[in-house]
Amino acid sequence: MNWKPLYLVLLAGAIVSGGLVNFSAAGEPVPLIFDTDSGNDIDDVLALGLIHALQSRGECELLAVTITKDHELAAPFVDAVNTFYGRGEIPIGVCDSGVTPEAGRFNVLASKQDNGKDRYPHDLRSGKNAPAAVTVLRQALADAEDNSVSIAQVGFSTNLANLLDSEPDDISPLSGKDLVAKKVKLLSIMAGAFEQIPNREGKPYDHKEYNIIKDIPSNQKLAKEWPTPVIWSGYEIGLNLRYPHESIEQDYDYVEHHPLKEAYILYNPPPHDRPTWDLTSVLQIVRPNRGYFGLSESGYVDVADDGLTTFRADSEGKHQYLTLDEAQKIRVKEALIFLSSEPPHQN
């Protein structure tokens, strides 16, 4: 990769945002919870790598990872990635939903061994040994400062809907909804579609997005009841930002085995360029003031019984969705490549 043009692009973005290479907009790391269906698509893994790069730069702190893919290898794989980046202590919570119960194409890397040893060392051997996602979410929020936590949800809304329904307990005397209202600053969610999508013949159609249709009731609950501001990254955003396979082939070779590269190859090998759906939600929530994306007017997202999402403009609404122009595409793609492939921080 030619780093000089990339550096200039990122530098320009920092200057435009009002500071000379001040990569933390507020000067303090963003307390972040990552809710993912890791194993169903590779963008979840690239997004997790992106988070670790941003944490190494002092821009966020990953408080916990909760998982909406109901397979026992999903949590160990996340633990393996966290451990690779030197943060194997991060709490991980799992769901019990029966949604997408298959292993997935790359979660099997958690059980990959070379000469009798884990290729990617990790402590959590099975999701059956992990705590419930709602427990992890409640603990992370209870421990946080008021109105401080950002959540990036890039899978189904199962865990967050269950959090809203949770009762007071030993962790917190607050109900789930009250706990969210007190502790969460912003939810950034990759779900839905807010433009028509071209089909294989190039004709636009109303797209019913995967993260929505896999658990429609939970998405409806979140859209109606989540008490804080929500920014939606629709299907059209990541579709127009494809991760270049050249980066997978060249930028991760600073180690013999890299979990992001090997997961990408197992999911769909180069020369495939995968859309970066989940990465966009993370980038927006950690770097909200860089002008990477535009934002719609305020309003509400409605989730129909068939999974179709629509947006209602309303000045009192708490929802917005991302927009993207041609100039932003260049800046966002370069930032995603640079950050996702950044080596782990060396203490």
Side-chain angles (χ1 to χ4, degrees), residues 212-224:
I212 297 287
I213 64 173
K214 297 307 293 186
D215 191 348
I216 292 173
S218 290
N219 282 287
Q220 290 175 322
K221 183 178 187 65
L222 184 142
K224 291 177 181 178

Side-chain angles (χ1 to χ4, degrees), residues 111-166:
S111 57
K112 179 67 175 178
Q113 293 194 332
D114 300 311
N115 300 318
K117 296 182 179 180
D118 288 335
R119 174 172 293 182
Y120 299 109
H122 58 286
D123 296 326
L124 183 58
R125 309 312 300 182
S126 170
K128 296 177 181 178
N129 302 324
V134 169
T135 300
V136 171
L137 288 166
R138 288 183 62 84
Q139 189 67 64
L141 293 179
D143 291 343
E145 298 291 331
D146 291 354
N147 192 40
S148 66
V149 177
S150 293
I151 300 177
Q153 179 198 295
V154 299
F156 322 135
S157 292
T158 312
N159 288 336
L160 297 191
N162 289 341
L163 171 64
L164 291 177
D165 282 338
S166 64

Side-chain angles (χ1 to χ4, degrees), residues 208 212-213 216-217 220 224 302-309:
K208 299 168 185 175
I212 297 287
I213 64 173
I216 292 173
Q220 290 175 322
K224 291 177 181 178
D302 295 318
V303 180
D305 289 341
D306 64 356
L308 184 65
T309 51

Side-chain angles (χ1 to χ4, degrees), residues 123-278:
D123 296 326
L124 183 58
R125 309 312 300 182
S126 170
K128 296 177 181 178
N129 302 324
V134 169
T135 300
V136 171
L137 288 166
R138 288 183 62 84
Q139 189 67 64
L141 293 179
D143 291 343
E145 298 291 331
D146 291 354
N147 192 40
S148 66
V149 177
S150 293
I151 300 177
Q153 179 198 295
V154 299
F156 322 135
S157 292
T158 312
N159 288 336
L160 297 191
N162 289 341
L163 171 64
L164 291 177
D165 282 338
S166 64
E167 300 290 337
D169 56 14
D170 292 342
I171 297 173
S172 171
L174 299 176
S175 69
K177 190 171 183 179
D178 289 342
L179 187 60
V180 168
K182 184 176 183 180
K183 299 291 186 173
V184 175
K185 181 178 182 180
L186 179 66
L187 170 62
S188 179
I189 175 172
M190 193 279 115
F194 304 99
E195 294 180 2
Q196 288 191 314
I197 305 299
N199 63 16
R200 293 181 179 179
E201 289 74 41
K203 297 180 180 179
Y205 73 100
D206 292 330
H207 182 71
K208 299 168 185 175
E209 192 269 325
Y210 178 82
N211 284 345
I212 297 287
I213 64 173
K214 297 307 293 186
D215 191 348
I216 292 173
S218 290
N219 282 287
Q220 290 175 322
K221 183 178 187 65
L222 184 142
K224 291 177 181 178
E225 299 183 22
W226 190 264
T228 78
V230 183
I231 295 178
W232 300 69
S233 180
Y235 182 85
E236 66 277 5
I237 299 298
L239 189 67
N240 283 287
L241 293 166
R242 294 179 180 268
Y243 197 93
H245 66 272
E246 293 88 351
S247 175
I248 296 297
E249 293 172 320
Q250 301 175 44
D251 295 339
Y252 296 82
D253 288 345
Y254 52 82
V255 289
E256 181 180 3
H257 296 292
H258 197 296
L260 273 61
K261 176 176 181 174
E262 293 191 352
Y264 192 106
I265 291 170
L266 285 175
Y267 183 79
N268 195 343
H272 169 255
D273 293 345
R274 193 67 184 159
T276 59
W277 292 295
D278 296 348

